[in-house]
């Protein structure tokens, strides 16, 4: 287990906060705060001091016998019993309350004792009811500040979909690009790693005149508030509640800074360890041997100096990418251009907005050579799901449409509903006549984990099913996953030779990156599909590709990179166990 100095410092800071809220002596609180600061500023990892006995923890300034023991405890267990004990006595929500400007531990303590404030929600409630202004030491001005602070924190706290941030990111880049003397500009952070959600945007610039670049940035028309502004960086809040950080760096450090601020932190920590082993130092300014910069201008040369090929940002999560890079075995990730068709599409035969002709033409426009039309089945009545008879005549209709559009194959499909007991809501006689059956749970999702897992596995084992969609049922920022054991689902998909769908809609991306990796390990193939309900929905494919790349998927892992002939052969094989 790696325990960083920052990890230890944060625990000590939290302990200090909690002690202070609980009214502990000033000296005890200060001891923890000092220790946090000392450890945070230390160049060597405390963990190596403890492990290699290269020095004694107690020799560090401000660290006595008691704190040294606590540090050892954190290094060994990752946590501190004292912190857990404090957390059980004091509402942790008060730590959040202390993020409101002007509320320190003492005020938090008072709000807790006198008004029962235990988190942001209760703080907002008592403040809006006008109770805070009457507390000694608070007043009307504080009340206003608190309300303002709360609304900012709420904006800060939320992660937004990467897809939602995309147009604003593009606007800022375009806006900055017209600046004279601008040499380079790049978005780093989780955005560059193609994460499904971003906490904020991190932008790097290199410009002849740094002050001018930052000045232009803070004047972007969507800036609602300047959070901080310095000589080389600025942070702003956009009026859509998205924070954007800009850092200006020298050209000779741009690659190193891009690497550092792309992260992930875990990836960068692992890189630094490699650098150290080589007698090098890696930081946001470059790779250094003694005091000489040996790399830094480009990311490629930074990785090269460490003996590594350049690693795609979407793999930089410390999930084995560095080992693979060292062995020269980085995956050749799937690309949007490799996709030959979309295997989950709805039309106005159920809850889609476009008719089959329109959306299939749109798919053809994208250059696809096949689509599967997968409308809902009868149980999903709110979407106008089709019964057996309805499906058969719908498929007849699709055959006509297929003939009307050249150069595209139309698979007659269905998104069949998985009933509570794991059986399907369409008879096997009819399913047997489909080209493509994707099964999904829609109702009664409030089951135990074991029940839901059994339900889904039963459906996966059905010989008429090709693929499982909505494996977890999540909608990002709106609806949690069902309680379901993904490991077992993936193992079952491997056992029964079924596909798992990666839903490309940016608020679903279900299955996620980690499950994609897991599926790949088990040899389970993935269908990246948009679940489009109108022609525009076909454009979601690229978000599915993002997630697939984060999940290490290569062409051979993705079923819809196959051409039509190969695909149909595999789908038929999958149904070879059928008896009808
Ligand atoms: P986000 O914004 O929550 O979606 O995630 P990130 O990864 O964009 O994180 P953010 O914005 O806090 O920081 C951007 C990058 O800067 C992060 O991926 C790695 C780097 N970074 C930030 N803080 C630290 C740190 O304390 N140590 C190291 N090694 N890197 C850091
Ligand atoms: Ca970020
Ligand atoms: Ca940031």
């Amino acid at each position: 287990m790696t325990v960083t100095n920052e990890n230890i410092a944060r625990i000590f800071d939290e302990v200090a906060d909690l002690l202070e809220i609980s009214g502990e002596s000033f000296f005890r609180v200060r001891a923890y705060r000092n220790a946090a600061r000392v450890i945070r500023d230390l160049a060597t990892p405390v963990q190596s001091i403890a492990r290699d006995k290269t020095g004694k923890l107690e020799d560090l300034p401000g660290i006595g016998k008691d704190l040294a023991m606590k540090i050892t405890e954190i290094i060994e267990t990752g946590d501190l019993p004292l912190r857990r004990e404090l957390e059980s006595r004091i509402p942790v929500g008060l730590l959040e309350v202390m993020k409101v400007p002007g509320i320190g531990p003492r005020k938090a303590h008072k709000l807790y004792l006198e008004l029962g404030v235990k988190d942001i929600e209760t703080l907002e409630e008592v403040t809006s009811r006008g109770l805070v202004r009457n507390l000694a030491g608070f007043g009307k001005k504080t009340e206003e500040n608190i309300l303002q602070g709360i609304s900012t924190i709420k904006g800060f706290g939320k992660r937004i979909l990467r897809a939602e941030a995309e147009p604003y990111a593009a606007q800022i880049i375009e806006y900055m690009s017209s600046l004279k003397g601008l040499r380079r500009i790049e978005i780093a952070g989780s955005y560059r790693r193609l994460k499904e959600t971003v906490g904020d945007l991190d932008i790097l610039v290199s410009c002849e005149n740094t002050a001018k670049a930052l000045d232009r940035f803070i004047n972007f028309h969507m800036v609602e508030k300047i959070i901080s502004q310095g000589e080389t960086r600025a942070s702003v809040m956009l009026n859509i509640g998205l924070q954007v950080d800009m850092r200006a760096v020298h050209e000779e450090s741009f690659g190193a800074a891009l690497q550092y601020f792309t992260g992930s932190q875990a990836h960068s920590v692992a890189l630094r360890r490699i650098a150290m082993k080589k007698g090098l130092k890696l930081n946001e300014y470059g790779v250094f041997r003694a005091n000489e910069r040996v790399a830094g201008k480009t990311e490629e040369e930074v990785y090269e100096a460490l003996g590594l090929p350049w690693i795609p940002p979407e793999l930089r999560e410390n999930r084995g990418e560095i080992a693979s890079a060292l062995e020269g075995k980085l995956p050749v990730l799937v690309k949007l251009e490799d996709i030959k068709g979309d295997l989950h599409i709805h039309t106005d035969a159920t809850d889609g907005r476009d008719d089959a002709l329109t959306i299939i033409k749109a798919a053809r426009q994208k250059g696809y050579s096949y689509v599967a039309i997968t409308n809902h089945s009868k149980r999903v009545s709110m979407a106008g799901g089709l019964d057996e008879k309805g499906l058969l005549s719908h498929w007849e209709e699709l055959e006509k449409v297929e003939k009307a559009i050249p150069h595209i194959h139309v698979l007659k499909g269905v998104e069949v509903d998985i009933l509570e007991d794991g059986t399907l809501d369409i008879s096997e006689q009819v399913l047997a006549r489909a080209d493509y059956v994707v099964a999904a749970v829609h109702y009664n999702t409030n089951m135990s984990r074991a029940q839901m897992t059994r339900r889904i596995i039963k459906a996966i084992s059905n010989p008429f099913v090709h693929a499982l969609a909505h494996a977890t049922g999540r909608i990002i920022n709106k609806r949690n996953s069902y309680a379901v054991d993904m490991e077992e689902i993936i193992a079952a998909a491997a056992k029964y030779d079924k596909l798992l769908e990666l839903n490309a809609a940016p608020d679903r991306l279900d299955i996620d990156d980690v499950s994609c990796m897991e599926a790949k390990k088990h040899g389970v193939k993935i269908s990246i599909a948009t679940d489009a309900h109108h022609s525009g929905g076909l454009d979601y494919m690229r978000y599915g590709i993002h997630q697939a790349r984060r999940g290490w998927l290569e062409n051979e892992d993705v079923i819809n990179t196959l051409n039509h002939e190969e695909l149909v052969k595999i789908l038929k094989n999958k149904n070879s166990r059928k008896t009808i």
Side-chain angles (χ1 to χ4, degrees):
M1 179 169 61
T2 312
V3 177
T4 63
N5 290 0
E6 176 62 24
N7 294 146
I8 300 168
R10 279 201 189 164
I11 291 175
F12 281 175
D13 269 338
E14 192 181 327
V15 165
D17 287 339
L18 290 167
L19 285 172
E20 197 167 4
I21 295 172
S22 69
E24 272 278 351
S25 88
F26 167 76
F27 297 101
R28 193 155 175 232
V29 173
R30 191 179 59 178
Y32 281 97
R33 273 209 215 296
N34 278 343
R37 190 171 40 76
V38 167
I39 292 168
R40 193 171 269 123
D41 291 342
L42 215 57
T44 12
V46 172
Q47 194 170 24
S48 70
I49 299 178
R51 194 181 38 217
D52 310 332
K53 309 260 182 285
T54 44
K56 277 187 28 216
L57 291 173
E58 285 175 62
D59 293 343
L60 296 171
I63 309 289
K65 203 163 164 210
D66 177 57
L67 282 171
M69 265 166 53
K70 294 217 159 64
I71 293 173
T72 312
E73 211 161 14
I74 296 172
I75 289 171
E76 280 167 6
T77 66
D79 203 346
L80 200 58
L82 171 64
R83 185 178 78 107
R84 287 198 296 271
E85 189 259 323
L86 286 166
E87 276 195 5
S88 68
R89 279 198 289 123
I90 302 153
V92 258
L94 286 178
L95 294 176
E96 200 67 30
V97 166
M98 281 175 22
K99 289 189 184 154
V100 175
I103 299 189
R106 224 161 312 150
K107 279 198 167 145
H109 185 57
K110 200 176 173 88
L111 287 163
Y112 170 47
L113 284 185
E114 310 231 16
L115 298 174
V117 168
K118 55 187 199 314
D119 51 31
I120 291 282
E121 272 67 42
T122 44
L123 175 65
E124 183 165 36
E125 193 197 315
V126 298
T127 317
S128 327
R129 279 167 52 201
L131 299 176
V132 169
R133 73 175 86 154
N134 296 326
L135 281 185
F138 283 78
K140 187 140 176 51
K141 186 81 195 131
T142 323
E143 179 188 81
E144 274 167 31
N145 287 343
I146 289 175
L147 287 175
Q148 163 83 43
I150 290 171
S151 82
T152 318
I153 282 177
K154 284 190 164 171
F156 273 99
K158 242 180 79 197
R159 301 181 63 79
I160 81 165
L161 295 181
R162 185 188 180 284
E164 238 172 280
E166 222 173 31
Y168 308 113
Q171 270 188 52
I172 297 174
I173 296 296
E174 200 194 321
Y175 165 79
M176 290 300 297
S177 295
S178 60
L179 184 71
K180 231 181 98 215
L182 187 88
R183 296 192 189 100
R184 295 200 60 184
I185 182 158
E186 211 67 70
I187 307 179
S190 52
Y191 186 89
R192 183 160 180 250
R193 301 200 310 279
L194 305 181
K195 261 188 89 154
E196 60 201 26
T197 62
V198 295
D200 65 6
L201 294 181
D202 306 281
I203 302 180
L204 288 184
V205 289
S206 163
C207 184
E208 257 168 41
N209 187 333
T210 296
K212 266 196 187 151
L214 293 177
D215 190 54
R216 182 163 177 85
F217 172 60
I218 60 173
N219 283 299
F220 180 60
H221 70 98
M222 287 176 69
V223 170
E224 186 178 77
K225 190 179 151 210
I226 298 163
I227 298 164
S228 68
Q229 189 182 2
E231 280 180 15
T232 59
R233 54 172 297 170
S235 285
V236 301
M237 180 59 80
L238 301 188
N239 55 18
I240 51 156
L242 176 64
Q243 185 180 328
V244 187
D245 298 342
M246 178 167 284
R247 294 177 183 83
V249 299
H250 289 293
E251 218 182 350
E252 70 264 22
S253 291
F254 196 88
L258 185 57
Q259 192 294 309
Y260 183 92
F261 290 110
T262 296
S264 68
Q265 198 171 330
H267 173 87
S268 297
V269 166
L271 284 188
R272 274 207 292 284
R273 209 169 302 135
I274 290 184
M276 274 198 289
K277 275 194 200 137
K278 290 184 172 293
L280 300 167
K281 202 174 101 193
L282 166 68
N283 58 29
E284 62 264 53
Y285 302 107
V287 183
F288 298 87
R289 173 167 279 121
N291 279 329
E292 187 203 352
R293 189 199 317 266
V294 296
K297 190 163 186 194
T298 68
E299 254 191 351
E300 282 80 358
E301 70 179 36
V302 167
Y303 279 94
E304 199 188 328
L306 305 179
L308 291 165
W310 181 82
I311 299 175
E314 53 271 52
L315 294 181
R316 299 182 194 170
E317 298 290 348
N318 199 26
R319 293 177 183 156
E321 71 280 8
I322 292 175
S324 292
L326 283 169
E327 290 169 34
K329 287 186 180 154
L330 281 174
V332 181
L333 300 174
V334 63
K335 302 186 298 296
L336 185 58
E337 306 88 88
D338 300 324
I339 295 296
K340 305 245 165 58
D342 195 332
L343 295 176
H344 191 146
I345 292 176
H346 294 270
T347 69
D348 63 358
T350 57
D351 60 345
R353 283 218 306 267
D354 288 335
D355 59 24
L357 188 73
T358 307
I359 201 163
I360 295 169
K361 267 190 180 160
R364 178 59 214 149
Q365 283 278 311
K366 288 202 161 315
Y368 291 158
S369 55
Y370 52 84
V371 287
I373 301 297
T374 51
N375 274 306
H376 286 291
S377 56
K378 62 187 172 195
R379 168 78 182 289
V380 187
S381 51
M382 63 177 185
L386 302 167
D387 62 9
E388 282 82 353
K389 204 165 143 253
L391 265 177
L392 290 172
S393 65
H394 169 55
W395 288 338
E396 265 178 44
E397 193 59 37
L398 288 182
E399 282 178 11
K400 281 184 211 149
V401 174
E402 183 178 24
K403 286 197 187 100
I405 311 171
H407 310 303
I408 190 157
H409 298 278
V410 178
L411 277 65
K412 291 170 292 189
V414 57
E415 178 181 357
V416 67
D417 184 60
I418 302 173
L419 299 169
E420 283 76 352
D421 63 357
T423 60
L424 307 175
D425 74 332
I426 294 292
S427 78
E428 298 193 340
Q429 283 86 344
V430 172
L431 291 182
R433 295 174 62 178
D435 300 319
Y436 188 66
V437 177
V438 50
V441 164
H442 297 93
Y443 295 108
N444 283 338
T445 54
N446 244 339
M447 300 180 148
S448 75
R449 189 176 164 92
Q451 275 178 318
M452 183 57 99
T453 306
R454 218 175 314 131
R455 174 181 180 182
I456 293 178
I457 289 178
K458 174 121 197 259
I460 289 178
S461 75
N462 186 307
F464 297 92
V465 168
H466 293 100
L468 173 72
H470 308 309
T472 79
R474 70 162 178 180
I475 300 178
I476 301 170
N477 285 345
K478 285 203 195 95
R479 195 169 80 193
N480 286 332
S481 304
Y482 330 127
V484 65
D485 188 332
M486 271 312 287
E487 268 180 50
E488 281 197 42
I489 300 291
I490 290 165
K495 178 175 169 193
Y496 295 106
D497 189 22
K498 296 301 163 78
L499 305 168
L500 288 179
E501 186 177 286
L502 160 50
N503 188 305
D507 58 348
R508 290 192 181 262
L509 298 172
D510 177 13
I511 58 177
D512 68 11
D513 48 357
V514 174
S515 290
C516 283
M517 284 184 87
E518 195 63 22
K520 182 188 172 90
K521 267 189 214 140
H522 283 75
V524 172
K525 306 287 184 222
I526 305 294
S527 155
I528 310 175
T530 63
D531 197 359
H533 283 68
H534 56 96
S535 300
L538 297 171
D539 291 338
Y540 292 158
M541 188 60 83
R542 57 199 206 84
Y543 303 115
I545 296 288
H546 289 170
Q547 190 80 323
R549 290 171 66 90
R550 285 182 55 82
W552 290 57
L553 300 190
E554 303 177 86
N555 280 12
E556 62 179 32
D557 305 309
V558 178
I559 196 86
N560 47 324
T561 61
L562 295 177
N563 65 34
H564 178 251
E565 200 182 335
E566 295 164 329
L567 174 76
V568 168
K569 206 160 93 191
I570 285 182
L571 294 180
K572 286 221 167 94
N573 279 344
K574 285 195 190 305
N575 278 356
S576 61
R577 275 178 292 245
K578 283 197 303 207
T579 50
I580 295 171

